[in-house]
Amino acid sequence: MNKMGLILLSVALIVLTLAACSNNRSTSGSGDTAEETGLVNGQPGTTTGANPGEEEATSSSGKKTIIFSSFWPNEQYEQAAKAYEAAHPDISIKLQYGLSEEYSDDGGGKQTDSDIEKFTASTNAAMLAGKGPDLLDLRYLAADDYERHHLLEDLQSRMAGDKTFNKMNYFANVLDGGNSETGQFSLPLSFSLSGMVGDKAAIAATGVKFDDRAWTWDDFMTTGRELVAAKGKYDAAVVSGEGYQVGGTDYFVRSIVADNYGRFVDETSRKASFDSPAFAGLLKQIKSMYNDGVAGSNGRGYFINVSILSPEDYLTSLHAFGDETAFYVKPHADEEAAGTSFETRADIGINANSKVKDAAWDFLKYLMDHTSIGLPINKERFHDAIQLLKEQGTITPPSIDSQHSKPFNVDGAQLDQLEGFADAAARKRNESGKVLDIVAANTDAFFTGQKSAEDVARLIQNKAMTVLNE
Amino acid sequence: MAVWLFLGPSLIGFSLFYLIPFVLGFYESFTDGALGGRFVGINNYTDLLHSASFRKAAGNTMLFTAIGVPLLIGLSLTLAVLLNRPLFLRSWLRTSFMLPLVVPVASVVTVWQIFFDWNGTLNAWLNELGLARVDWMQSNWSMTIVVVMYIWKNIGYDMILLLAGLQSIPKDYYETASLEGAGRFHQFRHITLVYLTPTMFFVLLISIINSFKVFRETYLLAGDYPYDRLYMLQHYMNNMFFELDVQKLTAAATLMVVCIVVMTSGLLRAERKFREYTE
């Protein structure tokens, strides 16, 4: 009898724990299944009648559903999806966004950070499990890791095998920028150009001559010294940082190493060569830029580093830094091709485990031809964007610090040059990555004069090799 | 029957949160690609062993245990023996050695960081003494610092365990021995150490396991890519996790578990042998 009671009691206890367990699981489950709850469906009215529960690639009516995921809601994606659906009645496109509420400048930052975290975690988990969206905007996602684990479709063979895809319609260098030995796993819808805005009038006044289309960093240093020696309008040739944002001493290291990444890191054989004299030399060269006054750490110089995000942004940047300014190509390393350096934006990849890869590829092509985000990859769209701006006539720059800005006239001649810079796009910048972070974090001790260039180089080599050998 | 019912809850919890995930991970370590990939045999293990960073991490972890554990046990035994006799402020001293155990690591790490930084307190002192400063965290010294931190953190706990062991040794053994004319050292070697051995096994085991846990301090102190001398197995696993490399992660975890199991079962066997021998 007593024993019976004991058994009953323990059974009750187990049931209780199990219930607690399962209960616990269902509440914490909301974090695990953030894939569904964390993502907000694109406006239900604009997407098709596909109800949220319907996850199958093909529904009963034989309609194919492409799930397209992006962190930031994008008007252009919505429009393209709607137009594509209208043209292809057998396809429906479902947009998923990572952002849970509308972005606002005040206090929205925290929410956005946690949304990004949720978005990457849930997308990573879904992708690893062989599920996930069919089409992905790779912003914030670890595209390299996806690529390494064969989670993204190789678009190289898609492009080669598709007769309707004509590379000539796009800025070819930018398109090939994501090309690696193993293939190409994402295509950009847009790109940005990085270069410098220079005060043309002030430079002309000093009488210093240079060819920005072909200059190397060495040429730039020489030019910089000449500019400084001419004692013209400015003290420094260039100020570290980008646009109005003044950067620290690590700005140039990061920027130059990013431009010369292949020189110091061999990704295929997983070897770094930061302990080479070349790297210590580069560090010393950058330091001498500061010492000689070629690079300033505050105020203004003849040149300002900028990233051009759109035709409008191009004119606004030129306008913002003086009346008579011009866009100059960034210097490059000796052994690299001369040309404008660029970064791809709105990179889209196709999930290798998607069941509707063909449809997704077709839609991706459609996106490339029918969206106009920033500087569009499609040459025709690029031209349209410039034409549109010319017709518009004036630009009202965004206000900075509640300071009201006056509209200014569009300069058609300057705009026409932009296309030339885009055509000359040659070098893809890769500003992200652990090795670059390590480089930027460890060079400070050298620039403040606390360690020798060789010591810093050795330390960077030590850590970079750990990363590369993993 | 009743035994199982009582064991049930803890068994279920253990399986749900430890055993089943580990078995799943063990299976994953033999597959390729994403979750639920093809079976590839020991490929992941050969890849893992080819990774120079993994070998370095394993070497560092072993080196750390080999240096840290003997030092820790030696020091805590000394302390325990000292505090086992009447001493001025004895109970206060005992408490103070226990303090590091209750202080949250994160709060202490900041102080350590400031202390050992290139521009930190210690280097300022060295400078005042006219000595060249040392980059403590970015050189081979970094391992020493983590060893010190590990000892500081664990010495109180080990000391308490050893004190309990010391007090369970009957006093008359010492009295008899001193009557027979045995000196202090002789008593220590033939009574204290012998009767402390079972406690010692336990302390050794706990210290080894704790030495594997030093990752938390290291990570807080030096981040995910510290100087290579500090790069531990868990750094490797942590970084693999963030790179979505489930294969290498699970293979590394399996190898580590195998090592720990071999080591602990060896220790437990030795303890059993010792007990049979003394009885």
Side-chain angles (χ1 to χ4, degrees):
Chain A
M1 187 60 208
N2 208 354
K3 205 169 185 182
M4 198 63 202
L6 264 176
I7 291 174
L8 269 178
L9 187 73
S10 32
V11 167
L13 268 173
I14 291 173
V15 170
L16 207 71
T17 6
L18 279 180
C21 268
S22 64
N23 187 30
N24 197 7
R25 258 157 60 100
S26 68
T27 47
S28 75
S30 61
D32 303 329
T33 53
E35 186 193 337
E36 271 95 38
T37 54
L39 300 173
V40 179
N41 289 338
Q43 297 167 337
T46 61
T47 56
T48 63
N51 54 59
E54 193 181 82
E55 294 280 338
E56 262 78 65
T58 41
S59 67
S60 51
S61 59
K63 230 180 174 190
K64 282 183 182 167
T65 305
I66 302 171
I67 299 172
F68 181 19
S69 151
S70 156
F71 180 78
W72 294 102
N74 190 318
E75 188 65 29
Q76 301 249 9
Y77 293 166
E78 303 255 350
Q79 280 170 4
K82 232 197 299 186
Y84 188 81
E85 278 172 354
H88 302 78
D90 57 328
I91 305 275
S92 75
I93 292 155
K94 220 172 104 189
L95 284 157
Q96 284 182 335
Y97 297 129
L99 193 70
S100 64
E101 56 189 66
E102 205 117 313
Y103 182 77
S104 66
D105 276 334
D106 37 85
K110 262 220 173 92
Q111 182 60 37
T112 311
D113 285 349
S114 75
D115 277 350
I116 291 174
E117 215 165 281
K118 221 191 269 175
F119 175 70
T120 49
S122 63
T123 312
N124 284 351
M127 291 293 283
L128 277 179
K131 299 192 185 85
D134 303 302
L135 212 56
L136 309 96
D137 182 331
L138 293 166
R139 182 103 191 254
Y140 303 123
L141 297 174
D144 293 350
D145 295 332
Y146 288 175
E147 190 182 314
R148 203 168 36 243
H149 298 114
H150 313 294
L151 298 175
L152 293 176
E153 175 80 351
D154 181 16
L155 300 174
Q156 186 95 63
S157 49
R158 287 265 172 196
M159 287 192 284
D162 191 335
K163 285 200 181 64
T164 62
F165 184 87
N166 187 359
K167 266 196 179 179
M168 294 311 289
N169 293 341
Y170 311 99
F171 289 99
N173 286 339
V174 180
L175 204 61
D176 290 337
N179 208 341
S180 69
E181 273 170 41
T182 47
Q184 181 156 8
F185 298 90
S186 68
L187 286 173
L189 300 185
S190 163
F191 61 100
S192 69
L193 292 172
S194 51
M196 299 182 296
V197 167
D199 190 332
K200 209 169 150 188
I203 293 169
T206 60
V208 175
K209 296 256 181 309
F210 56 87
D211 175 18
D212 69 301
R213 293 287 176 136
W215 62 4
T216 62
W217 278 106
D218 286 331
D219 297 336
F220 178 73
M221 308 269 192
T222 322
T223 310
R225 284 197 190 94
E226 284 170 23
L227 282 172
V228 172
K231 297 220 183 300
K233 190 171 170 189
Y234 304 108
D235 292 332
V238 64
V239 173
S240 83
E242 204 160 272
Y244 286 112
Q245 263 176 331
V246 174
T249 39
D250 62 348
Y251 174 81
F252 282 105
V253 184
R254 210 185 163 90
S255 175
I256 295 175
V257 174
D259 283 350
N260 295 282
Y261 195 69
R263 202 167 139 203
F264 300 115
V265 180
D266 185 347
E267 288 272 5
T268 30
S269 66
R270 313 300 283 168
K271 280 223 156 52
S273 48
F274 289 107
D275 53 354
S276 65
F279 183 69
L282 178 69
L283 286 179
K284 286 176 188 160
Q285 203 177 19
I286 294 171
K287 196 176 182 186
S288 75
M289 270 171 74
Y290 283 97
N291 293 345
D292 300 351
V294 173
S297 43
N298 54 36
R300 268 211 55 185
Y302 290 94
F303 296 104
I304 289 154
N305 301 301
V306 287
S307 280
I308 304 291
L309 305 177
S310 67
E312 203 165 1
D313 184 42
Y314 168 71
L315 288 182
T316 313
S317 304
L318 287 180
H319 180 77
F321 294 113
D323 295 331
E324 212 179 315
T325 50
F327 184 76
Y328 293 91
V329 172
K330 244 172 70 157
H332 63 91
D334 297 336
E335 56 265 48
E336 261 183 309
T340 331
S341 69
F342 65 92
E343 264 179 290
T344 56
R345 299 170 72 83
D347 295 281
I348 311 288
I350 296 177
N351 187 343
N353 292 311
S354 162
K355 292 189 183 67
V356 289
K357 278 193 270 196
D358 292 332
W361 164 243
D362 199 55
F363 180 56
L364 174 52
K365 279 193 299 182
Y366 187 85
L367 280 173
M368 289 175 73
D369 291 340
H370 294 86
T371 53
S372 178
I373 304 167
L375 299 175
I377 181 89
N378 184 302
K379 284 186 173 171
E380 226 172 285
R381 293 289 87 72
F382 188 95
H383 196 72
D384 288 351
I386 286 180
Q387 282 307 319
L388 192 73
L389 203 58
K390 276 184 184 166
E391 281 159 27
Q392 191 184 316
T394 56
I395 295 175
T396 313
S399 321
I400 299 163
D401 298 337
S402 75
Q403 203 181 357
H404 194 69
S405 44
K406 276 185 240 132
F408 62 91
N409 289 331
V410 168
D411 185 340
Q414 291 272 36
L415 257 187
D416 289 335
Q417 286 184 13
L418 179 60
E419 220 161 338
F421 288 119
D423 271 324
R427 285 169 291 131
K428 186 182 159 108
R429 278 161 67 80
N430 188 2
E431 281 255 356
S432 61
K434 291 177 187 171
V435 174
L436 273 177
D437 287 340
I438 288 172
V439 170
N442 287 289
T443 44
D444 210 37
F446 168 67
F447 289 116
T448 48
Q450 302 207 345
K451 285 184 193 170
S452 73
E454 284 74 17
D455 281 348
V456 167
R458 217 173 299 128
L459 194 57
I460 291 172
Q461 174 74 4
N462 175 304
K463 295 189 176 191
M465 282 308 281
T466 307
V467 174
L468 293 171
N469 278 331
E470 281 184 333
Chain B
M1 178 64 185
V3 172
W4 289 105
L5 284 174
F6 278 104
L7 272 177
S10 89
L11 264 185
I12 289 168
F14 178 73
S15 338
L16 201 62
F17 295 108
Y18 289 94
L19 198 62
I20 295 174
F22 179 72
V23 171
L24 287 178
F26 183 69
Y27 170 74
E28 284 296 331
S29 72
F30 292 102
T31 62
D32 75 337
L35 293 182
R38 270 181 315 119
F39 187 81
V40 291
I42 56 163
N43 268 10
N44 293 322
Y45 290 88
T46 42
D47 277 359
L48 187 68
L49 292 174
H50 276 119
S51 157
S53 290
F54 174 78
R55 292 198 304 266
K56 191 187 283 169
N60 281 341
T61 307
M62 271 188 252
L63 181 69
F64 178 80
T65 306
I67 297 174
V69 172
L71 264 177
L72 173 68
I73 292 183
L75 283 173
S76 48
L77 181 63
T78 319
L79 268 184
V81 170
L82 285 178
L83 291 179
N84 197 29
R85 61 186 67 172
L87 202 71
F88 183 59
L89 286 179
R90 186 169 78 159
S91 60
W92 283 94
L93 280 173
R94 277 188 195 174
T95 318
S96 71
F97 284 117
M98 284 301 289
L99 267 182
L101 211 59
V102 269
V103 179
V105 194
S107 61
V108 185
V109 159
T110 322
V111 178
W112 286 69
Q113 257 171 348
I114 295 169
F115 193 73
F116 288 109
D117 190 75
W118 174 244
N119 293 316
T121 319
L122 188 57
N123 274 339
W125 291 348
L126 283 182
N127 196 35
E128 263 165 48
L129 293 173
L131 299 169
R133 56 178 167 171
V134 180
D135 201 351
W136 300 102
M137 290 312 297
Q138 313 286 1
S139 64
N140 283 336
W141 280 101
S142 52
M143 176 74 96
T144 321
I145 288 159
V146 178
V147 168
V148 171
M149 196 154 182
Y150 163 75
I151 290 174
W152 173 81
K153 181 85 187 160
N154 289 291
I155 199 166
Y157 183 55
D158 280 15
M159 183 195 74
I160 290 291
L161 290 175
L162 289 170
L163 264 177
L166 282 177
Q167 276 160 9
S168 68
I169 302 174
K171 291 267 182 316
D172 16 334
Y173 289 4
Y174 291 103
E175 280 163 20
T176 323
S178 63
L179 280 180
E180 305 259 331
R184 270 267 171 81
F185 178 70
H186 223 71
Q187 284 181 23
F188 179 75
R189 244 196 86 193
H190 293 282
I191 300 173
T192 313
L193 277 191
V194 172
Y195 287 93
L196 209 55
T197 311
T199 319
M200 212 60 130
F201 273 116
F202 180 69
V203 171
L204 188 61
L205 198 67
I206 291 290
S207 303
I208 290 175
I209 289 173
N210 279 338
S211 80
F212 277 91
K213 288 189 190 161
V214 82
F215 166 71
R216 182 177 53 174
E217 283 84 354
T218 323
Y219 184 77
L220 289 171
L221 202 60
D224 50 359
Y225 287 102
Y227 189 76
D228 67 350
R229 189 37 86 199
L230 270 190
Y231 188 80
M232 303 281 178
L233 267 180
Q234 289 95 327
H235 277 104
Y236 184 79
M237 291 190 223
N238 193 51
N239 293 341
M240 284 299 109
F241 173 77
F242 282 112
E243 280 182 15
L244 311 178
D245 205 326
V246 181
Q247 277 62 47
K248 280 186 179 167
L249 169 65
T250 48
T254 308
L255 278 187
M256 187 169 145
V257 166
V258 168
C259 283
I260 294 183
V261 165
V262 166
M263 208 148 56
T264 41
S265 56
L267 265 176
L268 290 176
R269 257 177 86 110
E271 196 210 352
R272 217 171 32 240
K273 279 266 167 62
F274 174 81
R275 219 180 265 162
E276 278 162 16
Y277 167 75
T278 46
E279 276 160 15

